[in-house]
Amino acid sequence: MQKFDSSMMDFEERVDIDDFESEVMERIYSKPLLIKRVNTTSQIAIVGANVCPVESLDYEVPENELVNEDWRSRRTVQIFQYILLKWAFALIIGLSTGLVGVFNNIAVENIAGFKLLLTTELMLKHKYYKAFAAYAGCNLGLATSAAALCAFIAPAAAGSGIPEVKAYLNGVDAYSILASSTLFVKIFGSIFGVAAGFVVGKEGPMVHTGSCIASLIGQGGSRKYHLTWRWLRYFKNDRDRRDLITCGAAAGVAAAFRAPVGGVLFALEEAASWWRSALLWRTFFTTAVVAIVLRGFIQLCSTGTCGLFGEGGLIMYDISAAKVVYSTPDILAVILLGVIGGILGSLYNYLVDKVLRTYSIINERGAAVKILLVIMISLLTSICSYGLPWLATCIPCPADASTSCPNTDVSGNYKSFQCPPGHYNDLASLFLNTNDDAIRNLLSTNTVKEFHISSLFIFFVAVYCLGIITYGIAIPSGLFIPVILAGSCYGRLVGRLFEPISKLDVGLFSLLGAASFLGGTMRMTVSLCVILLELTNDLLMLPLVMLVLLISKTMGDMFNKGVYDQIVKLKGLPYMEAHPEPYMKHLIARDVVTGPLITFSGVEKVGNILLALKNTGHNGFPVIDEPPFSDAPELCGLVLRSQLLVLLKGKAFSKDRVLAGNKVLRKISELDFAKAGSGKGLKLEDLDIQEEEWDMYVDLHPIANTSPYTVVETMSLAKAAVLFRELGLRHMCVVPKSQGRPPIVGILTRHDFQPEHILGLYPHVRFQQW
């Protein structure tokens, strides 16, 4: 029995480029995004996004004779080695990510500090045009360097990286998102981009960086470079690699925000799709290592050995000096902030989505156009940062200022800019600073009159707009800092308006504004709450931060999804949502299974296998036992394309159609089926099968997964989707409800649960929501 089933393509088909480009302009703003599919190759594209190859990951541990034999042969000491390596890798990931975080901070502070000191020095000499030329020139050089790295070395390093990591941990293996070249560009591109004055942060890229480090460490060695230590073989699988990458994502947040507990909660709430208690321990251990590394280097840098980076500690924005006392008007102000944050956050997500769609078309034109776009945004940012402070009036320095005023250092609250002695420019104190220092100025306490209301409004509008148009250009760019910057600005603005009737310090209003905007854009609650409290060292603000996050998230959810969910969708990554769509309740598993289906016999001809591998892009094949190996046709198991390639390369063939399991076990070991790392795995072209071997037979029983997950054909599609996601499956077999029929109806893969596929088959179900 041989049938064909396009659902077994496992969402790995390539869109024809010519058809894709011809339909871009027509369909770019259509909703939902449509996916065009042909049956010749192995990629997917989505309108408005780059064509990206997509593969599903094998999180399921197969049960077959080969795996069982390997487990039986393992001794107690080998199991101990496996457990020990897990903790050792967690330690290495924490150390490496912490060191990269320290390097990023030192590099950004010194590069940006040199630029700002040069600009300030020229301003003090009243050489205003030269100051702008120096400022814009430095920004332009740094921006061009970041763009060139992304355009020519690793295009996957552009953007935040959090959506890609989130998709990977959901089971999607997008090409090159965790490669070594991506890691290199992510580190240095982020440094250049942040130092160039863009309204971006290094926090999102740090999550991607930590994940890349974890992926490279967890590849189980490299045969190409002869790094094949026997202990490392245990990690040559997607399941263990997924756990390490989860640790890496948490470590990235801990290194970026100096928030170890927040990093664990971020991985739990936003990044990971699967979680268990053992992973919680290792993730917490990893972030604790990061915190220790950061603490050690911050103490070292406080002696002046790190150039311009030397002040501060693990608390980035300490507001604990402010007295936290609030009354009914303050609660009303917090509720107002939550509503504003939800509305502005949903609008921000909407505009970012539109900008990304536009940039995706522009970036398709090549590397030169990508760099040109970055140059244009860099010039616009430099003009705004240097030009807008001229609109502000000079303010006399306060008599009780805790720092020098006016300030001519790299950072500080009181920038002199063009003002005479004894005066400062409040807009320059925000624009002509690093983003971290601008946030620190906005969160400063006991400085009620430091910023004019008009200056706060101008800065908010500029940062809000620049943050939208900057995300999506070809540089590593995080969303956390732009959102915190804009949120803290309108939070301080609301604090100034409520000053006559409020007891809260305006610096605390800035924190609440940042929380409201974060909740409105990213739709996280617990992790954001802890991260903000670790950033500011003020536990007394916990009730208000919780309240404003809940309100802003609720308001934002009324309009659209979180920004990372939108970006995942836009990139065409087949992400499995935690909750199925309502219309899935009206369909059953059989409804979305398309045919015909290709199956193999338990003992199959080599030629039949080669033809199936050559003529289809299938990645999973049911194995059916038929007489004389069984009394009636029955589902024996499921075999993967990668397993078939290894089996054919081993050439455990026989001339007769007989069971030959022992022969297969002698020629092939479980290590041969280990997944390749960043290098290329075994392909069909690598096989050397002679013509006379085509008519020989091979026994599939030793490698077939004898207990694949199956669902009855009448199960609701919503229930099947929940099982598929919770179990981390790549293939789900659909079996008939009644006897006397073929033992398998079809196979469900990630593609079959995507709205584009379902609504393409049944357009009318869109309106059956409940």
mmCIF file of all heavy atoms in Angstrom, residues 603-604 606 609 644-656 658-669 673 689 693 696-700 702-703:
data_model
loop_
_atom_site.group_PDB
_atom_site.id
_atom_site.type_symbol
_atom_site.label_atom_id
_atom_site.label_comp_id
_atom_site.label_asym_id
_atom_site.label_seq_id
_atom_site.Cartn_x
_atom_site.Cartn_y
_atom_site.Cartn_z
ATOM 1 N N VAL A 603 9.827 -4.494 6.086
ATOM 2 C CA VAL A 603 11.031 -4.857 5.326
ATOM 3 C C VAL A 603 10.792 -4.348 3.913
ATOM 4 O O VAL A 603 9.965 -4.884 3.174
ATOM 5 C CB VAL A 603 11.271 -6.373 5.341
ATOM 6 C CG1 VAL A 603 12.535 -6.709 4.559
ATOM 7 C CG2 VAL A 603 11.388 -6.892 6.769
ATOM 8 N N GLU A 604 11.504 -3.306 3.536
ATOM 9 C CA GLU A 604 11.205 -2.583 2.301
ATOM 10 C C GLU A 604 12.359 -2.670 1.313
ATOM 11 O O GLU A 604 13.521 -2.843 1.712
ATOM 12 C CB GLU A 604 10.927 -1.118 2.627
ATOM 13 C CG GLU A 604 10.460 -0.262 1.466
ATOM 14 C CD GLU A 604 9.179 -0.757 0.849
ATOM 15 O OE1 GLU A 604 8.095 -0.449 1.393
ATOM 16 O OE2 GLU A 604 9.267 -1.471 -0.174
ATOM 17 N N VAL A 606 15.141 -1.308 -1.149
ATOM 18 C CA VAL A 606 15.998 -0.128 -1.115
ATOM 19 C C VAL A 606 15.575 0.868 -2.184
ATOM 20 O O VAL A 606 15.528 2.087 -1.955
ATOM 21 C CB VAL A 606 17.472 -0.536 -1.295
ATOM 22 C CG1 VAL A 606 18.353 0.706 -1.425
ATOM 23 C CG2 VAL A 606 17.940 -1.401 -0.142
ATOM 24 N N ILE A 609 12.594 3.026 -1.214
ATOM 25 C CA ILE A 609 12.954 4.076 -0.245
ATOM 26 C C ILE A 609 13.655 5.232 -0.944
ATOM 27 O O ILE A 609 13.356 6.406 -0.687
ATOM 28 C CB ILE A 609 13.832 3.482 0.868
ATOM 29 C CG1 ILE A 609 13.075 2.403 1.643
ATOM 30 C CG2 ILE A 609 14.310 4.582 1.817
ATOM 31 C CD1 ILE A 609 13.901 1.700 2.695
ATOM 32 N N LEU A 644 16.445 7.104 7.790
ATOM 33 C CA LEU A 644 16.553 6.307 6.568
ATOM 34 C C LEU A 644 17.868 6.571 5.848
ATOM 35 O O LEU A 644 18.494 5.647 5.320
ATOM 36 C CB LEU A 644 15.374 6.615 5.647
ATOM 37 C CG LEU A 644 14.005 6.111 6.100
ATOM 38 C CD1 LEU A 644 12.905 6.648 5.190
ATOM 39 C CD2 LEU A 644 13.966 4.588 6.114
ATOM 40 N N LEU A 645 18.311 7.809 5.834
ATOM 41 C CA LEU A 645 19.576 8.135 5.174
ATOM 42 C C LEU A 645 20.746 7.436 5.871
ATOM 43 O O LEU A 645 21.640 6.892 5.212
ATOM 44 C CB LEU A 645 19.785 9.646 5.171
ATOM 45 C CG LEU A 645 18.838 10.460 4.275
ATOM 46 C CD1 LEU A 645 19.031 11.952 4.504
ATOM 47 C CD2 LEU A 645 19.063 10.119 2.807
ATOM 48 N N VAL A 646 20.744 7.433 7.186
ATOM 49 C CA VAL A 646 21.811 6.753 7.934
ATOM 50 C C VAL A 646 21.752 5.248 7.685
ATOM 51 O O VAL A 646 22.777 4.588 7.496
ATOM 52 C CB VAL A 646 21.699 7.069 9.438
ATOM 53 C CG1 VAL A 646 22.706 6.242 10.230
ATOM 54 C CG2 VAL A 646 21.915 8.558 9.685
ATOM 55 N N LEU A 647 20.552 4.706 7.678
ATOM 56 C CA LEU A 647 20.392 3.267 7.460
ATOM 57 C C LEU A 647 20.860 2.863 6.076
ATOM 58 O O LEU A 647 21.553 1.841 5.909
ATOM 59 C CB LEU A 647 18.917 2.888 7.657
ATOM 60 C CG LEU A 647 18.587 1.396 7.571
ATOM 61 C CD1 LEU A 647 19.286 0.636 8.685
ATOM 62 C CD2 LEU A 647 17.081 1.177 7.638
ATOM 63 N N LEU A 648 20.540 3.650 5.068
ATOM 64 C CA LEU A 648 20.974 3.340 3.704
ATOM 65 C C LEU A 648 22.481 3.491 3.555
ATOM 66 O O LEU A 648 23.125 2.733 2.817
ATOM 67 C CB LEU A 648 20.255 4.248 2.704
ATOM 68 C CG LEU A 648 18.744 4.037 2.565
ATOM 69 C CD1 LEU A 648 18.155 5.059 1.603
ATOM 70 C CD2 LEU A 648 18.442 2.622 2.077
ATOM 71 N N LYS A 649 23.058 4.468 4.248
ATOM 72 C CA LYS A 649 24.515 4.631 4.180
ATOM 73 C C LYS A 649 25.230 3.445 4.814
ATOM 74 O O LYS A 649 26.297 3.023 4.351
ATOM 75 C CB LYS A 649 24.922 5.929 4.881
ATOM 76 C CG LYS A 649 26.403 6.235 4.762
ATOM 77 C CD LYS A 649 26.765 7.548 5.436
ATOM 78 C CE LYS A 649 28.253 7.834 5.279
ATOM 79 N NZ LYS A 649 28.648 9.098 5.954
ATOM 80 N N GLY A 650 24.637 2.872 5.874
ATOM 81 C CA GLY A 650 25.237 1.706 6.513
ATOM 82 C C GLY A 650 25.134 0.433 5.686
ATOM 83 O O GLY A 650 25.862 -0.538 5.939
ATOM 84 N N LYS A 651 24.217 0.406 4.714
ATOM 85 C CA LYS A 651 24.075 -0.716 3.774
ATOM 86 C C LYS A 651 23.887 -2.059 4.486
ATOM 87 O O LYS A 651 24.556 -3.047 4.148
ATOM 88 C CB LYS A 651 25.273 -0.789 2.820
ATOM 89 C CG LYS A 651 25.391 0.405 1.887
ATOM 90 C CD LYS A 651 26.429 0.178 0.813
ATOM 91 C CE LYS A 651 26.452 1.348 -0.172
ATOM 92 N NZ LYS A 651 27.388 1.118 -1.295
ATOM 93 N N ALA A 652 22.982 -2.070 5.451
ATOM 94 C CA ALA A 652 22.640 -3.337 6.104
ATOM 95 C C ALA A 652 21.529 -4.011 5.301
ATOM 96 O O ALA A 652 20.410 -4.211 5.771
ATOM 97 C CB ALA A 652 22.209 -3.080 7.544
ATOM 98 N N PHE A 653 21.862 -4.380 4.041
ATOM 99 C CA PHE A 653 20.879 -4.910 3.107
ATOM 100 C C PHE A 653 20.893 -6.432 3.126
ATOM 101 O O PHE A 653 21.864 -7.076 3.554
ATOM 102 C CB PHE A 653 21.140 -4.413 1.682
ATOM 103 C CG PHE A 653 21.259 -2.908 1.565
ATOM 104 C CD1 PHE A 653 22.085 -2.314 0.613
ATOM 105 C CD2 PHE A 653 20.533 -2.068 2.409
ATOM 106 C CE1 PHE A 653 22.196 -0.947 0.503
ATOM 107 C CE2 PHE A 653 20.637 -0.688 2.303
ATOM 108 C CZ PHE A 653 21.469 -0.122 1.363
ATOM 109 N N SER A 654 19.818 -6.990 2.606
ATOM 110 C CA SER A 654 19.734 -8.439 2.420
ATOM 111 C C SER A 654 19.031 -8.722 1.096
ATOM 112 O O SER A 654 18.193 -7.926 0.647
ATOM 113 C CB SER A 654 18.975 -9.104 3.582
ATOM 114 O OG SER A 654 17.669 -8.586 3.666
ATOM 115 N N LYS A 655 19.389 -9.848 0.481
ATOM 116 C CA LYS A 655 18.795 -10.193 -0.811
ATOM 117 C C LYS A 655 17.368 -10.703 -0.663
ATOM 118 O O LYS A 655 16.580 -10.604 -1.606
ATOM 119 C CB LYS A 655 19.656 -11.234 -1.514
ATOM 120 C CG LYS A 655 21.028 -10.704 -1.928
ATOM 121 C CD LYS A 655 21.812 -11.760 -2.681
ATOM 122 C CE LYS A 655 23.178 -11.212 -3.123
ATOM 123 N NZ LYS A 655 23.966 -12.226 -3.864
ATOM 124 N N ASP A 656 17.042 -11.254 0.492
ATOM 125 C CA ASP A 656 15.717 -11.803 0.717
ATOM 126 C C ASP A 656 14.918 -10.893 1.632
ATOM 127 O O ASP A 656 15.464 -10.152 2.460
ATOM 128 C CB ASP A 656 15.818 -13.200 1.349
ATOM 129 C CG ASP A 656 16.601 -14.161 0.465
ATOM 130 O OD1 ASP A 656 16.396 -14.110 -0.769
ATOM 131 O OD2 ASP A 656 17.429 -14.915 1.010
ATOM 132 N N VAL A 658 13.465 -10.636 4.551
ATOM 133 C CA VAL A 658 13.418 -11.285 5.853
ATOM 134 C C VAL A 658 13.803 -10.264 6.922
ATOM 135 O O VAL A 658 14.395 -9.218 6.634
ATOM 136 C CB VAL A 658 14.382 -12.497 5.920
ATOM 137 C CG1 VAL A 658 13.946 -13.586 4.946
ATOM 138 C CG2 VAL A 658 15.822 -12.042 5.623
ATOM 139 N N LEU A 659 13.453 -10.569 8.173
ATOM 140 C CA LEU A 659 13.854 -9.727 9.295
ATOM 141 C C LEU A 659 15.350 -9.849 9.508
ATOM 142 O O LEU A 659 15.886 -10.948 9.550
ATOM 143 C CB LEU A 659 13.096 -10.131 10.559
ATOM 144 C CG LEU A 659 11.572 -9.953 10.521
ATOM 145 C CD1 LEU A 659 10.944 -10.507 11.796
ATOM 146 C CD2 LEU A 659 11.212 -8.480 10.369
ATOM 147 N N ALA A 660 16.028 -8.712 9.641
ATOM 148 C CA ALA A 660 17.491 -8.719 9.786
ATOM 149 C C ALA A 660 17.907 -7.705 10.839
ATOM 150 O O ALA A 660 18.852 -6.935 10.645
ATOM 151 C CB ALA A 660 18.156 -8.435 8.444
ATOM 152 N N GLY A 661 17.164 -7.663 11.966
ATOM 153 C CA GLY A 661 17.435 -6.678 12.992
ATOM 154 C C GLY A 661 18.819 -6.768 13.582
ATOM 155 O O GLY A 661 19.494 -5.760 13.777
ATOM 156 N N ASN A 662 19.303 -8.010 13.847
ATOM 157 C CA ASN A 662 20.632 -8.169 14.441
ATOM 158 C C ASN A 662 21.719 -7.656 13.515
ATOM 159 O O ASN A 662 22.711 -7.075 13.950
ATOM 160 C CB ASN A 662 20.864 -9.645 14.774
ATOM 161 C CG ASN A 662 19.961 -10.109 15.902
ATOM 162 O OD1 ASN A 662 19.561 -9.318 16.755
ATOM 163 N ND2 ASN A 662 19.634 -11.401 15.916
ATOM 164 N N LYS A 663 21.543 -7.859 12.217
ATOM 165 C CA LYS A 663 22.530 -7.391 11.240
ATOM 166 C C LYS A 663 22.598 -5.862 11.246
ATOM 167 O O LYS A 663 23.686 -5.269 11.166
ATOM 168 C CB LYS A 663 22.153 -7.898 9.852
ATOM 169 C CG LYS A 663 23.137 -7.520 8.759
ATOM 170 C CD LYS A 663 22.703 -8.106 7.421
ATOM 171 C CE LYS A 663 23.693 -7.713 6.332
ATOM 172 N NZ LYS A 663 23.284 -8.270 5.008
ATOM 173 N N VAL A 664 21.440 -5.234 11.360
ATOM 174 C CA VAL A 664 21.402 -3.765 11.399
ATOM 175 C C VAL A 664 22.075 -3.248 12.665
ATOM 176 O O VAL A 664 22.855 -2.288 12.629
ATOM 177 C CB VAL A 664 19.945 -3.274 11.325
ATOM 178 C CG1 VAL A 664 19.873 -1.760 11.529
ATOM 179 C CG2 VAL A 664 19.327 -3.651 9.990
ATOM 180 N N LEU A 665 21.803 -3.904 13.799
ATOM 181 C CA LEU A 665 22.378 -3.455 15.069
ATOM 182 C C LEU A 665 23.891 -3.594 15.088
ATOM 183 O O LEU A 665 24.590 -2.832 15.751
ATOM 184 C CB LEU A 665 21.763 -4.244 16.221
ATOM 185 C CG LEU A 665 20.266 -3.990 16.488
ATOM 186 C CD1 LEU A 665 19.770 -4.894 17.605
ATOM 187 C CD2 LEU A 665 20.027 -2.531 16.852
ATOM 188 N N ARG A 666 24.414 -4.593 14.356
ATOM 189 C CA ARG A 666 25.872 -4.769 14.308
ATOM 190 C C ARG A 666 26.542 -3.717 13.436
ATOM 191 O O ARG A 666 27.676 -3.308 13.713
ATOM 192 C CB ARG A 666 26.210 -6.170 13.771
ATOM 193 C CG ARG A 666 25.961 -7.297 14.769
ATOM 194 C CD ARG A 666 26.639 -8.583 14.313
ATOM 195 N NE ARG A 666 26.147 -9.010 13.010
ATOM 196 C CZ ARG A 666 25.143 -9.848 12.815
ATOM 197 N NH1 ARG A 666 24.475 -10.337 13.867
ATOM 198 N NH2 ARG A 666 24.763 -10.194 11.604
ATOM 199 N N LYS A 667 25.867 -3.244 12.400
ATOM 200 C CA LYS A 667 26.482 -2.304 11.466
ATOM 201 C C LYS A 667 26.308 -0.842 11.884
ATOM 202 O O LYS A 667 27.109 0.020 11.507
ATOM 203 C CB LYS A 667 25.872 -2.492 10.072
ATOM 204 C CG LYS A 667 26.406 -3.710 9.331
ATOM 205 C CD LYS A 667 26.169 -3.540 7.837
ATOM 206 C CE LYS A 667 26.910 -4.605 7.049
ATOM 207 N NZ LYS A 667 26.854 -4.368 5.600
ATOM 208 N N ILE A 668 25.252 -0.555 12.638
ATOM 209 C CA ILE A 668 24.917 0.833 12.961
ATOM 210 C C ILE A 668 24.697 0.965 14.457
ATOM 211 O O ILE A 668 24.082 0.095 15.077
ATOM 212 C CB ILE A 668 23.653 1.281 12.203
ATOM 213 C CG1 ILE A 668 23.863 1.158 10.693
ATOM 214 C CG2 ILE A 668 23.292 2.719 12.547
ATOM 215 C CD1 ILE A 668 22.623 1.462 9.881
ATOM 216 N N SER A 669 25.200 2.053 15.022
ATOM 217 C CA SER A 669 24.991 2.329 16.448
ATOM 218 C C SER A 669 24.083 3.538 16.608
ATOM 219 O O SER A 669 23.835 4.296 15.651
ATOM 220 C CB SER A 669 26.329 2.587 17.144
ATOM 221 O OG SER A 669 26.904 3.799 16.686
ATOM 222 N N PHE A 673 22.980 8.069 14.521
ATOM 223 C CA PHE A 673 21.750 8.823 14.282
ATOM 224 C C PHE A 673 21.742 10.159 15.019
ATOM 225 O O PHE A 673 20.734 10.863 14.995
ATOM 226 C CB PHE A 673 20.536 8.002 14.719
ATOM 227 C CG PHE A 673 20.306 6.768 13.888
ATOM 228 C CD1 PHE A 673 20.858 5.554 14.261
ATOM 229 C CD2 PHE A 673 19.573 6.836 12.722
ATOM 230 C CE1 PHE A 673 20.656 4.422 13.502
ATOM 231 C CE2 PHE A 673 19.370 5.710 11.950
ATOM 232 C CZ PHE A 673 19.911 4.498 12.329
ATOM 233 N N ILE A 689 24.733 4.285 -3.549
ATOM 234 C CA ILE A 689 23.981 3.048 -3.707
ATOM 235 C C ILE A 689 24.170 2.532 -5.131
ATOM 236 O O ILE A 689 23.882 3.244 -6.106
ATOM 237 C CB ILE A 689 22.486 3.269 -3.419
ATOM 238 C CG1 ILE A 689 22.289 3.901 -2.041
ATOM 239 C CG2 ILE A 689 21.719 1.952 -3.526
ATOM 240 C CD1 ILE A 689 22.763 3.051 -0.902
ATOM 241 N N GLU A 693 22.001 -2.877 -5.866
ATOM 242 C CA GLU A 693 21.472 -2.811 -4.500
ATOM 243 C C GLU A 693 20.034 -2.286 -4.448
ATOM 244 O O GLU A 693 19.387 -2.370 -3.409
ATOM 245 C CB GLU A 693 22.382 -1.927 -3.639
ATOM 246 C CG GLU A 693 23.766 -2.502 -3.422
ATOM 247 C CD GLU A 693 24.702 -1.560 -2.688
ATOM 248 O OE1 GLU A 693 24.555 -0.327 -2.845
ATOM 249 O OE2 GLU A 693 25.575 -2.048 -1.958
ATOM 250 N N MET A 696 17.546 -4.924 -3.438
ATOM 251 C CA MET A 696 17.750 -5.588 -2.166
ATOM 252 C C MET A 696 16.776 -5.012 -1.123
ATOM 253 O O MET A 696 16.099 -4.011 -1.356
ATOM 254 C CB MET A 696 19.204 -5.422 -1.702
ATOM 255 C CG MET A 696 20.214 -6.018 -2.681
ATOM 256 S SD MET A 696 21.932 -5.844 -2.132
ATOM 257 C CE MET A 696 21.965 -7.022 -0.803
ATOM 258 N N TYR A 697 16.716 -5.677 0.039
ATOM 259 C CA TYR A 697 15.769 -5.299 1.069
ATOM 260 C C TYR A 697 16.516 -4.790 2.303
ATOM 261 O O TYR A 697 17.668 -5.145 2.554
ATOM 262 C CB TYR A 697 14.887 -6.488 1.462
ATOM 263 C CG TYR A 697 13.959 -6.936 0.365
ATOM 264 C CD1 TYR A 697 14.372 -7.896 -0.572
ATOM 265 C CD2 TYR A 697 12.683 -6.421 0.261
ATOM 266 C CE1 TYR A 697 13.524 -8.315 -1.585
ATOM 267 C CE2 TYR A 697 11.817 -6.834 -0.751
ATOM 268 C CZ TYR A 697 12.254 -7.775 -1.670
ATOM 269 O OH TYR A 697 11.409 -8.176 -2.674
ATOM 270 N N VAL A 698 15.819 -3.964 3.082
ATOM 271 C CA VAL A 698 16.374 -3.457 4.332
ATOM 272 C C VAL A 698 15.277 -3.519 5.397
ATOM 273 O O VAL A 698 14.111 -3.202 5.123
ATOM 274 C CB VAL A 698 16.911 -2.013 4.162
ATOM 275 C CG1 VAL A 698 15.817 -1.054 3.740
ATOM 276 C CG2 VAL A 698 17.579 -1.531 5.440
ATOM 277 N N ASP A 699 15.657 -3.949 6.571
ATOM 278 C CA ASP A 699 14.710 -4.098 7.687
ATOM 279 C C ASP A 699 14.607 -2.768 8.433
ATOM 280 O O ASP A 699 15.601 -2.241 8.950
ATOM 281 C CB ASP A 699 15.201 -5.209 8.625
ATOM 282 C CG ASP A 699 14.182 -5.529 9.711
ATOM 283 O OD1 ASP A 699 13.096 -4.921 9.695
ATOM 284 O OD2 ASP A 699 14.489 -6.372 10.574
ATOM 285 N N LEU A 700 13.397 -2.197 8.493
ATOM 286 C CA LEU A 700 13.184 -0.902 9.134
ATOM 287 C C LEU A 700 12.804 -1.024 10.605
ATOM 288 O O LEU A 700 12.731 -0.014 11.308
ATOM 289 C CB LEU A 700 12.084 -0.128 8.393
ATOM 290 C CG LEU A 700 12.324 0.173 6.909
ATOM 291 C CD1 LEU A 700 11.174 0.977 6.339
ATOM 292 C CD2 LEU A 700 13.635 0.904 6.699
ATOM 293 N N PRO A 702 14.380 -2.068 13.353
ATOM 294 C CA PRO A 702 15.303 -1.602 14.410
ATOM 295 C C PRO A 702 15.323 -0.086 14.597
ATOM 296 O O PRO A 702 15.668 0.391 15.676
ATOM 297 C CB PRO A 702 16.666 -2.124 13.939
ATOM 298 C CG PRO A 702 16.358 -3.261 13.046
ATOM 299 C CD PRO A 702 15.097 -2.879 12.344
ATOM 300 N N ILE A 703 14.977 0.691 13.552
ATOM 301 C CA ILE A 703 15.080 2.148 13.664
ATOM 302 C C ILE A 703 13.719 2.824 13.751
ATOM 303 O O ILE A 703 13.646 4.022 14.047
ATOM 304 C CB ILE A 703 15.865 2.742 12.479
ATOM 305 C CG1 ILE A 703 15.086 2.546 11.167
ATOM 306 C CG2 ILE A 703 17.254 2.149 12.390
ATOM 307 C CD1 ILE A 703 15.655 3.337 10.012
#
